[in-house]
Amino acid sequence: MSEADCPYCDGPMPKAVTTKDHIVPRVLCGQRLGPQNIIRVCRACNQLKGEMTPDALVTLAEEMEFQARQIREMARRVDVLIGERGLLPAALRGD
């Protein structure tokens, strides 16, 4: 990770889209921790993190990943059912 990469997502961070983030959110008394509690991150990560701690953000990401896997599996099963039951309209089958 270079100095120009976001410490949260490792993505490039052009200066125009960087923001200051309180690692421990201000709502959790993070402002009392001083300047060592502030880092520069990309705007997207800062908006996503909001008032969460980094640990809470990781937990959210893991939950979202689990849900995404479930949705992909459900979509795969629906595709199988459509194929097995011949439910795809002729216009989409290429008949």
Side-chain angles (χ1 to χ4, degrees):
M1 182 172 78
S2 76
E3 224 177 278
D5 291 339
C6 175
Y8 292 153
C9 70
D10 288 335
M13 231 175 28
K15 192 166 183 114
V17 294
T18 63
T19 60
K20 293 180 186 176
D21 180 52
H22 288 81
I23 299 168
V24 175
R26 289 180 292 183
V27 297
L28 298 176
C29 298
Q31 72 273 16
R32 295 184 188 164
L33 299 176
Q36 68 273 17
N37 186 44
I38 298 174
I39 58 173
R40 295 205 65 79
V41 300
C42 74
R43 184 173 290 131
C45 283
N46 199 3
Q47 289 174 341
L48 177 65
K49 180 178 170 277
E51 295 177 347
M52 291 185 275
T53 63
D55 288 343
L57 186 60
V58 168
T59 300
L60 175 64
E62 289 168 350
E63 290 170 0
M64 291 171 69
E65 187 176 311
F66 175 75
Q67 290 171 350
R69 280 194 306 270
Q70 286 182 310
I71 291 168
R72 282 192 295 273
E73 178 59 19
M74 184 185 299
R76 186 194 64 76
R77 290 178 183 190
V78 168
D79 281 345
V80 168
L81 286 171
I82 287 171
E84 288 176 350
R85 297 180 185 201
L87 299 174
L88 194 63
L92 296 177
R93 283 195 312 259
D95 294 348

